[in-house]
Amino acid sequence: MLHKTSLVLLMGTCTFACAHDLAVELDATRIDAEREAATGVQLDEPIRTGSRLGLSARETPASVSVADRRLIEARDANDSQDVINAMTGINASANPGYGGFVSYRGFTQNQVTQLFNGINLGYSSATRPVDAWMLDRVELLGGPSSFLHGAGAVGGSINYITKSATRDQQTVDARVRYASFDERELAVGVNQALASDPAVAQHFMRLDFSRSQGNGYVDRNARKTDSLALSLLSDLSPNLTHTLAIEYQQDREDSPYWGAPILPGHSAMKIDKHRRFENYNVADGRYEQRVRWLRSMLDYQVDGATTVHNTLYHYSAQRDYRNVERYSYTQAGNVLRASPYLQRHQHSVLGDRLELRHDQQLLGLASQWALGLDYSHMRQSVYPTAGNWSDEVDPEQFDPGSFYTIAGVDRGLTKQRRHVTDNRAAFAENRLQLSERLALLTALRYDYLDMHVRNYGAVSASSPARFERRWEPLSGRVGLTYALTPAATLYAQYSTAADLPAGSLAAATYANVGQFDLSKGEQWELGSKFDFWQGRGAATVALYQIVRKDFAVRDSGNPNLTVQAGQQTSRGVELSGRLQLTAKLLAEGNYAYVDAQYDTFNEAVNGVSVSRKGNAPVNVPSQVANLWLSYDFTSAWAGGVDARYVGAVYADNANTLKAPGYTLFGAFVRYRVDEHISVTGRVRNLTDQVYAKQAYGQQYYMGPPRTLEVAMDMRF
């Protein structure tokens, strides 16, 4: 097993970082063969998430990572969490109760914003994994970004950008995959010009469909996901373009796996390896979601210096849960099952964003502007029904039972709250070229948040029938970039965050937000981005400190509740890069270290206030590293190995429960049959490591064991 120190030293010796973090989007008109033939790390292509000015990674005074379609395919990512776990400093998992869980720069949950095509849904449960087939690229911005994407995102922002129609005359992509545990995937994508003559084509359509299903790596845990995306790109005039995009996802998981109970009497969290695949949920446990996106995008080129972009969007989703969620060992060695929970989320967002970009001279200096207005209307109704039921089963042999025979939850769904939040915002961003080498980047955003909550449950002083709150956060960024040489840039930035007191208004209670003001955050960051060795290598380095005040922390004893913390500080370093060692050997990797701890946090324990000062947040590893080596044996054959290290994490606010760190190894071999077809065999978790992807309370959410898979990719 590779020790964490040896992994870090190996990466430091090679002085490289991951290419997927620095890979960028190529022009939509370039063909796939050209994308695959691109060599070296590119720092000079436009990115979308770090700025509204269309700046490159080199021009942006912040840590920005990108995984484009080429990197997604090279890694054989199955879903969006596979993609982001390969990015610098990210540790993500998706157990049923935590949706799209992400840890980054010492922060988790809603403290890391996850965007879909630049749109913020403001709710981490809405960010469950998406099939990687639907993604064109994923971008990661480190640190606060409220000034770009609205209230939230003190730790960073992740932007999932889906495939959409391009001006290619015709392309057809397909993928067939089979893996351990009867895991299957079938995917196809078609891009088609709606005219036979390229000279007169004005409309282009793209259709993508994927279906993935499998039996899961624990007992009774089958899952099926269908995803569909349709987009139409129309050149209405030489200066006016419209894109209409529709995306739909349906996800169903039977008897969801909520984790294994830990063995008592151990200083580190451990599970019984002989029962690692046991599932203690009820037989008819369920997670289901149906999600629909609709986007209408207009681009108008006013003149050579001015463009206008408008995005009108609507999102709707329904998510259903019915599970027995908590398990622990009794003194007799049996398993106590508890916390039956029935829930439905009905979630919708309607919004519009208008952006204007303008280039001009300001006091004789080159200046770029982005100005805009943003409006969204979010509604969510929640139907939580919980019970006090528990039972005790023999883990060797038991009847999982039925959810609807459990007293307290057998009455079905009961509407409890409806949340309505309107957000109106104005933003501005500017880049001023102070000299040939020095540039100043500034940004400012004002939000007006208006929240109304209707309580349909029992009314009390702490849970009134109706309440409303309004907030007016102001956030911004000031950054400098300095070009030491054409190949090396230094940057420094200061940015602020305005976070909501509960982390999410989509399900906040009066106790979460009724008496609390906005949470405030700020970051200082220094870094560099540079090419070296005549362009054969590229690297980035970032040093940062983030301080956040007055925010909600999930109660480690009851994940459905939150408690308030006073202040947290995160300090860290991130390294990433890529090096073409020889014409055939490519080395890539990244490493992140963070020291995250509470400065002020008093938690009530059995009615007594206990200080958590100096403790680390739950599920935040201090170190995350990735390493890849790939080798082209011939023009047809290629192979490689990879390693991933994740440090130990705490499972409770008291830091008394600790899940050990782990290292995962993998390997692949790829055969290119011809220019259109390739076949890949891959092994994940080569050593069959038993590890916790996430830990909470007395439970250990185990990651997948060793898996084998083979996939055939086709492109015509």
Side-chain angles (χ1 to χ4, degrees):
M1 178 176 180
L2 182 64
H3 190 272
K4 62 182 181 181
T5 305
S6 61
L7 179 57
V8 172
L9 288 176
L10 175 58
M11 296 178 63
T13 302
C14 293
T15 319
F16 55 83
C18 89
H20 71 276
D21 283 348
L22 303 173
V24 296
E25 183 183 32
L26 296 177
D27 224 354
T29 57
R30 293 190 187 181
I31 63 175
D32 290 329
E34 289 176 326
R35 295 179 66 172
E36 292 178 353
T39 58
V41 172
Q42 301 179 48
L43 296 173
D44 300 304
E45 295 289 338
I47 55 174
R48 306 182 193 181
T49 307
S51 169
R52 297 195 186 280
L53 297 170
L55 304 179
S56 67
R58 198 188 304 276
E59 295 170 323
T60 304
S63 175
V64 181
S65 305
V66 178
D68 70 356
R69 186 66 208 170
R70 183 183 64 85
L71 264 295
I72 293 172
E73 293 175 357
R75 302 277 181 255
D76 290 314
N78 294 327
D79 59 32
S80 53
Q81 292 213 334
D82 283 348
V83 178
I84 63 176
N85 270 329
M87 303 179 87
T88 309
I90 292 285
N91 190 39
S93 58
N95 75 3
Y98 288 81
F101 179 88
V102 171
S103 171
Y104 181 51
R105 291 197 169 186
F107 297 93
T108 62
Q109 298 288 102
N110 291 290
Q111 301 167 67
V112 180
T113 290
Q114 298 188 64
L115 311 163
F116 285 89
N117 296 296
I119 298 169
N120 185 357
L121 297 175
Y123 192 37
S124 64
S125 290
T127 56
R128 291 189 63 83
V130 175
D131 274 3
W133 181 261
M134 312 306 291
L135 299 173
D136 180 66
R137 61 198 276 109
V138 179
E139 298 181 346
L140 169 66
L141 172 66
S145 58
S146 301
F147 55 88
L148 287 172
H149 309 299
V154 67
S157 292
I158 303 169
N159 190 11
Y160 305 98
I161 301 170
T162 55
K163 295 177 179 177
S164 61
T166 68
R167 293 180 178 84
D168 293 323
Q169 186 70 11
Q170 183 183 67
T171 61
V172 178
D173 305 310
R175 179 176 174 85
V176 179
R177 179 175 63 89
Y178 186 82
S180 303
F181 313 107
D182 203 24
E183 183 79 26
R184 290 156 285 164
E185 179 186 4
L186 173 64
V188 62
V190 179
N191 196 95
Q192 178 69 54
L194 302 183
S196 58
D197 185 355
V200 299
Q202 294 179 313
H203 304 281
F204 306 83
M205 183 195 73
R206 183 173 181 92
L207 175 66
D208 285 282
F209 172 78
S210 69
R211 167 172 289 181
S212 60
Q213 57 189 349
N215 292 329
Y217 55 88
V218 298
D219 295 338
R220 301 179 291 104
N221 186 212
R223 179 178 178 178
K224 179 180 177 181
T225 299
D226 289 327
S227 301
L228 178 69
L230 176 66
S231 59
L232 178 65
L233 170 64
S234 300
D235 293 325
L236 303 178
S237 76
N239 296 328
L240 182 63
T241 299
H242 178 259
T243 302
L244 178 66
I246 301 172
E247 287 124 357
Y248 178 79
Q249 182 181 7
Q250 181 171 297
D251 194 2
R252 170 173 166 164
E253 188 173 352
D254 294 332
S255 195
Y257 170 64
W258 286 79
I262 61 172
L263 294 169
H266 294 272
S267 57
M269 298 178 72
K270 295 183 179 180
I271 64 171
D272 185 342
K273 294 183 180 180
H274 298 96
R275 298 171 183 162
R276 63 187 287 198
F277 302 117
E278 192 62 80
N279 186 354
Y280 297 104
N281 202 350
V282 288
D284 55 352
R286 186 68 51 81
Y287 170 77
E288 293 181 89
Q289 73 167 356
R290 289 155 296 284
V291 175
R292 187 198 67 212
W293 274 102
L294 177 62
R295 292 177 291 130
S296 172
M297 294 156 284
L298 272 173
D299 288 278
Y300 180 59
Q301 185 81 36
V302 179
D303 54 38
T306 307
T307 59
V308 177
H309 177 79
N310 189 83
T311 302
L312 174 66
Y313 59 90
H314 183 261
Y315 165 89
S316 64
Q318 179 174 300
R319 293 175 287 274
D320 287 283
Y321 310 77
R322 63 170 188 262
N323 301 284
V324 172
E325 302 178 359
R326 310 288 284 182
Y327 325 119
S328 59
Y329 281 109
T330 66
Q331 290 185 345
N334 291 329
V335 172
L336 181 69
R337 305 190 302 170
S339 297
Y341 194 59
L342 180 70
Q343 175 67 286
R344 169 173 288 177
H345 297 164
Q346 290 180 327
H347 186 194
S348 67
V349 182
L350 175 65
D352 188 81
R353 178 185 299 144
L354 177 65
E355 305 171 53
L356 182 146
R357 279 178 50 186
H358 180 67
D359 299 341
Q360 66 175 55
Q361 291 287 316
L362 182 63
L363 301 176
L365 303 175
S367 177
Q368 298 169 269
W369 285 94
L371 306 170
L373 300 172
D374 206 345
Y375 171 76
S376 67
H377 175 79
M378 180 178 67
R379 298 171 64 94
Q380 175 156 284
S381 296
V382 294
Y383 299 76
T385 303
N388 294 320
W389 170 94
S390 65
D391 76 346
E392 189 174 319
V393 299
D394 180 354
E396 294 288 348
Q397 185 176 5
F398 67 94
D399 179 2
S402 171
F403 184 86
Y404 285 111
T405 63
I406 299 174
V409 295
D410 55 354
R411 63 183 184 274
L413 292 167
T414 303
K415 189 174 183 178
Q416 185 180 81
R417 295 189 310 277
R418 184 187 67 200
H419 301 253
V420 179
T421 304
D422 289 294
N423 186 15
R424 303 169 182 86
F427 54 84
E429 188 177 6
N430 176 258
R431 184 177 188 269
L432 188 63
Q433 193 71 42
L434 299 176
S435 71
E436 183 180 354
R437 295 188 175 189
L438 183 65
L440 172 67
L441 190 73
T442 55
L444 194 66
R445 180 181 173 112
Y446 165 78
D447 287 86
Y448 180 85
L449 289 159
D450 188 6
M451 174 186 180
H452 297 259
V453 177
R454 169 75 183 274
N455 176 24
Y456 295 93
V459 175
S460 66
S462 60
S463 185
R466 298 175 184 268
F467 72 91
E468 61 183 76
R469 286 296 310 268
R470 293 181 177 86
W471 298 275
E472 298 183 58
L474 185 68
S475 55
R477 171 170 74 183
V478 177
L480 288 169
T481 60
Y482 183 75
L484 287 172
T485 70
T489 300
L490 299 175
Y491 72 86
Q493 68 137 310
Y494 171 77
S495 56
T496 64
D499 281 350
L500 305 172
S504 168
L505 296 187
T509 65
Y510 182 78
N512 296 142
V513 300
Q515 303 297 324
F516 298 103
D517 203 349
L518 285 167
S519 170
K520 303 293 180 62
E522 63 177 13
Q523 173 183 263
W524 290 94
E525 182 175 328
L526 301 172
S528 179
K529 304 167 187 180
F530 54 94
D531 303 304
F532 61 94
W533 201 1
Q534 298 177 331
R536 293 171 63 182
T540 69
V541 57
L543 303 169
Y544 64 87
Q545 174 180 285
I546 303 175
V547 178
R548 190 186 188 196
K549 299 179 180 179
D550 303 323
F551 59 99
V553 175
R554 192 173 293 274
D555 188 335
S556 53
N558 185 346
N560 296 316
L561 301 177
T562 59
V563 293
Q564 291 297 125
Q567 180 172 301
Q568 177 186 326
T569 298
S570 294
R571 299 182 180 92
V573 58
E574 295 173 353
L575 306 170
S576 63
R578 164 180 175 164
L579 182 59
Q580 192 74 47
L581 292 167
T582 71
K584 295 185 176 183
L585 179 61
L586 175 67
E588 307 167 83
N590 55 51
Y591 171 74
Y593 169 80
V594 61
D595 176 16
Q597 59 179 280
Y598 295 118
D599 304 315
T600 307
F601 178 21
N602 295 312
E603 185 177 28
V605 179
N606 298 323
V608 178
S609 179
V610 178
S611 174
R612 304 303 190 197
K613 181 178 180 181
N615 286 10
V618 171
N619 279 303
V620 172
S622 61
Q623 297 184 80
V624 177
N626 292 291
L627 176 64
W628 299 269
L629 293 172
S630 57
Y631 189 80
D632 295 328
F633 298 100
T634 68
S635 60
W637 286 94
V641 295
D642 59 81
R644 173 172 173 81
Y645 172 75
V646 178
V649 300
Y650 289 104
D652 61 343
N653 295 328
N655 286 185
T656 58
L657 295 171
K658 190 174 186 179
Y662 58 89
T663 303
L664 303 178
F665 297 97
F668 81 93
V669 61
R670 180 172 290 123
Y671 174 63
R672 185 175 293 277
V673 180
D674 55 32
E675 60 178 327
H676 302 295
I677 300 173
S678 64
V679 178
T680 304
R682 186 175 290 272
V683 184
R684 304 181 194 268
N685 192 1
L686 189 63
T687 59
D688 200 24
Q689 173 84 284
V690 177
Y691 66 101
K693 291 194 72 174
Q694 195 178 132
Y696 49 98
Q698 299 290 321
Q699 284 173 228
Y700 184 111
Y701 185 73
M702 182 184 66
R706 181 191 298 116
T707 58
L708 310 177
E709 66 180 47
V710 61
M712 181 170 64
D713 292 280
M714 294 157 280
R715 178 166 297 148
F716 301 95

